[in-house]
Structures are given as C-alpha cells and as structure tokens.
Amino acid sequence: MRYLMAAAALTALVAGTGVAHAQSTAVEGRVDRLEREMRAVQRKVFPGGGGQTIEPQIVPESGTEVSGTPAGTPITDLTQRVAALENQVQTLTGQVEQDGYRLKQLEDGFNAYKRATDARLKALETAGSNPGASGGDPIIAPVDLGEAPARPTRPPAEDKPRPTGTRAQQVAAVEKPNSGDAAEDGYLYGFRLWSAKLYPEARRELEAVVTKYPNHRRASYSQNLLGRAYLDAGAPSLAAVAFYENYKKNPNGERAPDSLYYLAQALTKLKKPASEVCKVYTELDQLYGARLSAEMKTGVAEGRVVQKCK
C-alpha cells in the first residue's frame, strides 16, 4: 500500500513537471518573438545604429523576501520579461507614429511654400511676357523687381482714402470733366487728382481707363501716370511694374518713352545695379531718342553720368 502511494505521488510530480515545461516553452517562444519585433522596431527608429537602443524596463524587486513566500520561478521571470518587452514595443511603435506625423507636417508645409513661390514667380513672369507691338525682342530683359508684385487691379488697402471731412472736401474740389469721351474724361480727372497729390484717388481713375479702354490713346497716358502716382507716393516697386507694363504692352503708345525714362528712376530708387539702369537708358536712346523732349534728354544724360554708364 505504501509503495502504491509513493508511485502515485511520483506520477503526479512528473505530470506537473511536464505541464510546467510546456508552459515554459510557450512563454520562451513569446519572448523570442517579441525580442525579434523589438529589434526590428529599434532599427526603424534608430536607423543609424551606434548602439542606440532602448533597454527593457525591468526593475528588480527591492526589499527583503517575506518569510514563507517562495522564490521566483523561471516561468515567473519569463512572464515579467514578456510584459516588459510588450511595453517596450508599444513605446517604440508610438514613437514611430509620432515621427511619421511630424514628417508629414513638414512635407505639407514645404509643399505649400513651394506652391506659393511658384505662383508668385509665374505672376512676375507673366507681367513681362507679352511682346511689343513694334516687333522684335526688347534690348532689356524683364526687369527684376525683387518683391514687387504684378500691377494691382485696385489701390492697396492702406492707400484707400479715408472718409474724413478734409479729404472728402479736397476730392470734391477737383472738377470732373464731361466731354462725352469717357476715356478722355477719366484720364483728365485722374491727372487733376494726381496734380492735387490725391494719389490713391488718382490711381483708381487711371486704372479704370487702362482696364476699360485699353485701345484708346489715353490708355498709354493713364498707365504712365499711374506709375508716376506710385513713384510720387513713395512706392517705387509698384511704379516700376506700371512703367514696364506700359512700355512692354504698348511700345508705340505716346507715353511709352516716358515710361522707360521713369522706369530708370524707379530702378535707381530701388537701388538696383547700375547695369540694369544703364540698359534702360540705352534702349530709351535707341528706340525713342528722336522723340525725347529736351528735359528728358538732359535727365538721361545726367542719369548715365550718375550710373557711370559706358
């Protein structure tokens, strides 16, 4: 009887050992798999290598062992390693996702900046892309105006006249012509506003003539005077655009020579290189030398001396 009981106990012990061994093998498989995943994630997060890895967050137990508590078994140790590895994989996966999100934001920002820059450059190129009516290419290339935008369709917001009583009275004092020719009347009214130094109001009238009556002889006058209104108001960049457009789009217009002359002045105020200003003077002399007034000829000669043109 005693031998039978001992045999039964030995059989139970062997069976328990087999179960424990099976559990240990299963856990070790999980550990191996998680360790391989962790190394793969670390290679993705730290592609440069150099030992940059994240150590498993396994904190050893502290304090003395309570009396009667059995020491940790291999299965318990493996379970702790599995938990630590799972936490580590989750942390690294979260970091990868955050890095991907930040990279996407950087790419979106760069693409937006590139689109805005391309649009601005295209607008500047379009402003000087129409060939002159007289045929042939101009001597001067499209003028580099830096930050100057294309000709605005209306005065900038800061230039809009404020509805003050004094300003309103000044504008009301300027007589509006009424000859029956809308283009002629618009130009003359803009000229009178410019003479009164009411530049925003003058630009509004002059732009209306250019837009509504581009084939009228006063369109050349209006576009040139529009540039002078910008120049007199201290906006040489916008003035240069207006002058260049008048010369480029309507080289046979009556004020095309004037626009080239004042374009050189605008470029000088913008502190552009002397070579650019001298090119404008050269083209002005070659194309319109016989049509220049005595005052303009004197101004060109003085300008060439100041810029040390050859």
Side-chain angles (χ1 to χ4, degrees), residues 26-287:
V27 173
E28 287 180 352
R30 291 176 59 198
V31 171
D32 292 339
R33 177 177 57 80
L34 289 172
E35 287 178 339
R36 287 196 300 272
E37 292 180 359
M38 183 192 69
R39 285 194 294 271
V41 174
Q42 287 177 331
R43 284 195 297 272
K44 186 173 183 180
V45 176
F46 305 106
Q52 301 182 64
T53 57
I54 298 178
E55 295 298 330
Q57 299 175 353
I58 301 177
V59 180
E61 296 181 358
S62 61
T64 59
E65 193 174 281
V66 180
S67 178
T69 302
T73 65
I75 294 178
T76 302
D77 294 338
L78 288 173
T79 302
Q80 291 177 348
R81 289 176 59 194
V82 168
L85 287 171
E86 288 176 341
N87 292 334
Q88 190 174 357
V89 170
Q90 291 177 356
T91 300
L92 291 174
T93 302
Q95 184 173 351
V96 170
E97 293 176 350
Q98 291 178 0
D99 291 342
Y101 176 73
R102 285 194 292 265
L103 179 61
K104 182 65 166 56
Q105 285 185 316
L106 290 174
E107 290 177 348
D108 292 344
F110 174 78
N111 291 334
Y113 169 78
K114 185 176 182 299
R115 287 193 298 270
T117 302
D118 291 343
R120 175 176 167 275
L121 292 176
K122 184 177 180 181
L124 288 174
E125 291 173 357
T126 302
S129 61
N130 296 324
S134 59
D137 295 330
I139 296 176
I140 59 174
V143 182
D144 178 12
L145 300 176
E147 296 297 326
R151 180 178 64 84
T153 58
R154 58 180 62 85
E158 63 271 16
D159 290 337
K160 290 183 179 179
R162 295 180 175 83
T164 60
T166 302
R167 186 80 176 190
Q169 291 174 2
Q170 291 176 346
V171 174
V174 178
E175 181 182 0
K176 290 185 177 181
N178 186 17
S179 66
D181 185 337
E184 182 75 17
D185 293 343
Y187 165 72
L188 291 178
Y189 185 46
F191 177 83
R192 292 172 183 176
L193 291 168
W194 170 76
S195 299
K197 298 184 178 181
L198 299 171
Y199 300 126
E201 293 84 355
R203 291 198 298 267
R204 182 176 58 199
E205 297 298 327
L206 296 169
E207 284 183 339
V209 174
V210 174
T211 302
K212 295 179 181 179
Y213 313 102
N215 298 322
H216 197 283
R217 64 183 291 263
R218 288 302 190 185
S220 178
Y221 284 79
S222 297
Q223 181 72 19
N224 180 71
L225 191 57
L226 174 64
R228 295 192 63 181
Y230 277 122
L231 192 62
D232 293 342
S237 294
L238 295 173
V241 172
F243 291 135
Y244 185 73
E245 283 192 354
N246 194 38
Y247 158 71
K248 185 70 175 179
K249 294 180 178 180
N250 191 10
N252 293 326
E254 295 179 53
R255 285 294 183 264
D258 301 70
S259 290
L260 267 184
Y261 175 76
Y262 288 111
L263 174 60
Q265 295 187 13
L267 294 179
T268 300
K269 288 184 178 294
L270 288 170
K271 302 185 184 303
K272 291 296 180 180
S275 59
E276 294 186 18
V277 181
C278 292
K279 285 181 181 179
V280 175
Y281 283 139
T282 298
E283 183 149 347
L284 179 60
D285 283 334
Q286 292 185 1
L287 296 181

